[in-house]
Amino acid sequence: MKVAICPGSFDPVTLGHLDIIERASGLFDKVVVAVLCNMDKKPSFSVEERISFLKETTAHLHNVEIDSFDGLLMDFAREKSAVAVVKGLRAVSDFEYEFQMSMINKKLCPEVETVYLNTSQEYMYLSSSVVKQIASFGGDIRNFVPEAIHSKIVDRLTNM
Ligand code: ADP
């Protein structure tokens, strides 16, 4: 069974994330979405909330599992017997950091490949931080986050 990991902060999950997860789920036998716990910046949503949003919005994808990790991604990948880490690329600006990370990860764990999926055009501008910024000013984020969790995200971000 070919297992892939989709790591990220998912603070909160956006339609851009979901697009990458859905496409990875079509390419691999199993996809583990790995929510990063040890974020430098204080997250807006707890790990439990981020996991619950992801579970709700990926319930239709039967080979997708949601988990969290702390520490080295490559240790988590080994633990899950993953063959690949799948990352989304939005712009050239994502590339430099991702390229460096993939080189380091290859040294740490040569058996795990890093696979990049290009963003879908309609999501190339989308990030969790953009969603948070717009919502905090009362803007409409309906086109940016999954419908099922829209009101929960708005409630939280407008009451911060
Ligand atoms: P964000 O930058 O939104 O905080 P994360 O750290 O949660 O993103 O990212 C998790 C993964 O999802 C990364 O591989 C990131 O490149 C990818 N990703 C996030 N948003 C998009 C998007 N709009 N299109 C493609 N990939 C994306």
Side-chain angles (χ1 to χ4, degrees), residues 6-21 23 34 36 39 50 85-91 94 98 115-120 122-130 132:
C6 280
S9 37
F10 305 103
D11 186 41
V13 59
T14 67
L15 291 177
H17 292 130
L18 201 56
D19 176 59
I20 296 292
I21 296 168
R23 287 158 61 200
L36 182 62
M39 287 167 71
R50 287 181 268 151
V85 167
V86 175
K87 305 234 60 188
L89 281 185
R90 276 163 292 201
D94 275 346
E98 293 297 345
V115 174
Y116 297 108
L117 297 181
N118 280 337
T119 181
S120 295
E122 63 267 43
Y123 303 130
M124 65 181 296
Y125 56 86
L126 195 51
S127 69
S128 297
S129 45
V130 161
K132 287 190 272 192

Side-chain angles (χ1 to χ4, degrees), residues 2 7 11 14 29 33 40 46 48 54 59 64 66 68 73 81-82 86 102 119 122 136 141 148 153 156:
K2 303 256 188 227
D11 186 41
T14 67
D29 297 316
V33 179
D40 293 341
S46 69
E48 293 72 26
L54 279 159
V64 172
I66 316 296
S68 61
L73 176 61
S81 309
V86 175
S102 74
T119 181
E122 63 267 43
S136 68
I141 57 165
I153 292 177
R156 164 62 61 82

Side-chain angles (χ1 to χ4, degrees), residues 94-122:
D94 275 346
F95 182 76
E96 207 169 329
Y97 173 75
E98 293 297 345
F99 187 69
Q100 184 188 17
M101 284 310 298
S102 74
M103 293 300 210
I104 293 169
N105 286 338
K106 194 75 184 166
K107 286 269 180 234
L108 292 175
C109 192
E111 67 271 26
V112 175
E113 296 290 348
T114 302
V115 174
Y116 297 108
L117 297 181
N118 280 337
T119 181
S120 295
Q121 243 178 32
E122 63 267 43

